[in-house]
Amino acid sequence: MKLIVKFNLVLSVVFAVAFVLAGLFTHALLQRNAKAEIEENARIMIDSATAVRTYTSTQIKPLLKTQMTYTFMPQSVSAYSANEYFKLLRKKYPEYSYKEATLNPTNPSDRATDWEADIVRLFRQAPDKTEVVDERDTPAGRALYIAKPLKIADPACLDCHDTPDRAPRTVIEQYGSANGFGWKVNDIVAAQIITAPMQLPIQRANHAFTAFMLSLAAVFVVLIVAINALLMFLVIRPVNQLSNIAGEVSLGNLSVPDFEASGKDEIATLAESFRRMRKSLVEAIKMLES
């Protein structure tokens, strides 16, 4: 097996191992970064919804208290404000969804589905738990969700949710007296759930991974070609020339021209040693002939 073949075989093995290791590391890193990006976006949105809820309950609801005695004003409800805020947001980001999933809601549209109800029960069973981050399959593909518990911390909330008898007349007229009652202070009655799509960030990560691996492969190919060219011109060709000269001398052709090597590298040193050996051989033959 020729030297250049052995050299390329070793290079190919090293390249293959490095390529696989780099691929595994890069893919894991890009996937982790993509999921971190998704989670960060979802966290910003759920925190924004929480901010809207706080603004509504502390600044809007007191202003509408008088009007509520005559007609129901949904703008005074923090959940309504958060949902309306998200409806506007979804016009630009339709893949995201927000819901205040409630086990016993006043508004039927807030009623928790089976998987959402499981999250609310989880928060009830573990009151110290402040957040759940997980993934689930949806009709639109894999999605990440963040859920936070909604606890009755303000006794003022019970004005509308204690018993139907205590609830404002306008609330009963709007939603009836069958749902949304029996709540108590410190009860976890619902969960804020934001769902964020994973498909687009994961696709971006996969495209970045493909581009990186192709670039890495191109770099390795260029390196192998460059190293082969250097090996051919600086090592293989001079060694072949020295080999041919040595063959001619071994056959008695002492007139073959010397190999001229410039520089002070190992090939030049080898050529100089060969010239000295050849000169000694010529002188030894002359002495024998005389």
Side-chain angles (χ1 to χ4, degrees):
M1 184 181 293
K2 292 186 176 181
L3 178 63
I4 195 167
V5 175
K6 294 179 180 179
F7 190 81
N8 280 310
L9 183 60
V10 172
L11 274 181
S12 298
V13 172
V14 172
F15 162 70
V17 173
F19 190 79
V20 171
L21 293 177
L24 292 174
F25 174 78
T26 305
H27 186 267
L29 179 63
L30 289 173
Q31 293 294 315
R32 185 167 63 250
N33 288 345
K35 291 182 179 180
E37 177 187 349
I38 299 166
E39 184 175 337
E40 182 180 4
N41 291 339
R43 199 175 298 282
I44 290 173
M45 288 190 170
I46 199 168
D47 288 343
S48 298
T50 301
V52 171
R53 285 177 55 86
T54 303
Y55 173 77
T56 300
S57 62
T58 57
Q59 299 192 41
I60 302 299
K61 185 176 180 179
L63 297 176
L64 299 178
K65 188 174 182 178
T66 301
Q67 289 89 327
M68 284 285 289
T69 60
Y70 302 102
T71 183
F72 178 73
M73 305 291 292
Q75 292 80 7
S76 66
V77 181
S78 56
Y80 174 86
S81 297
N83 282 310
E84 287 299 306
Y85 155 77
F86 221 89
K87 284 180 183 177
L88 296 175
L89 196 63
R90 289 195 67 189
K91 291 181 179 179
K92 188 173 183 180
Y93 304 101
E95 304 88 357
Y96 290 81
S97 66
Y98 174 80
K99 184 176 180 181
E100 297 190 5
T102 311
L103 297 181
N104 181 24
T106 301
N107 189 339
S109 63
D110 294 330
R111 187 172 298 280
T113 60
D114 291 340
W115 74 273
E116 293 168 342
D118 290 339
I119 294 175
V120 178
R121 295 189 189 99
L122 175 63
F123 285 130
R124 285 186 165 186
Q125 294 168 3
D128 295 334
K129 201 174 189 64
T130 60
E131 184 179 84
V132 171
V133 180
D134 205 347
E135 299 176 15
R136 63 184 298 267
D137 291 318
T138 69
R142 194 74 175 166
L144 178 141
Y145 68 85
I146 296 179
K148 292 185 175 183
L150 287 175
K151 180 186 291 187
I152 303 300
D154 185 359
C157 294
L158 300 183
D159 293 344
C160 297
H161 298 285
D162 186 5
T163 63
D165 296 337
R166 289 189 55 193
R169 172 184 55 81
T170 54
V171 173
I172 300 297
E173 291 175 353
Q174 180 74 20
Y175 295 109
S177 59
N179 299 300
F181 299 102
W183 296 7
K184 300 183 183 303
V185 175
N186 293 326
D187 277 355
I188 295 175
V189 297
Q192 283 179 291
I193 302 176
I194 184 82
T195 303
M198 299 183 67
Q199 183 177 3
L200 183 57
I202 294 297
Q203 283 181 348
R204 289 174 180 167
N206 290 335
H207 290 160
F209 172 73
T210 301
F212 172 77
M213 296 306 291
L214 289 176
S215 300
L216 184 61
V219 169
F220 272 111
V221 170
V222 171
L223 283 175
I224 289 176
V225 171
I227 291 173
N228 271 270
L230 289 173
L231 184 65
M232 179 62 69
F233 286 104
L234 299 180
V235 179
I236 303 297
R237 181 188 290 181
V239 169
N240 284 337
Q241 291 177 351
L242 280 171
S243 176
N244 292 334
I245 294 172
E248 291 293 328
V249 171
S250 67
L251 295 175
N253 184 8
L254 301 179
S255 62
V256 64
D258 286 331
F259 174 75
E260 299 295 336
S262 59
K264 296 182 180 181
D265 57 13
E266 288 79 359
I267 297 297
T269 302
L270 177 63
E272 181 61 29
S273 298
F274 181 77
R275 276 196 298 269
R276 290 197 302 268
M277 182 186 70
R278 179 183 177 183
K279 184 178 180 181
S280 299
L281 179 62
V282 170
E283 291 179 354
I285 292 175
K286 287 181 179 179
M287 290 177 62
L288 290 174
E289 290 179 347
S290 63

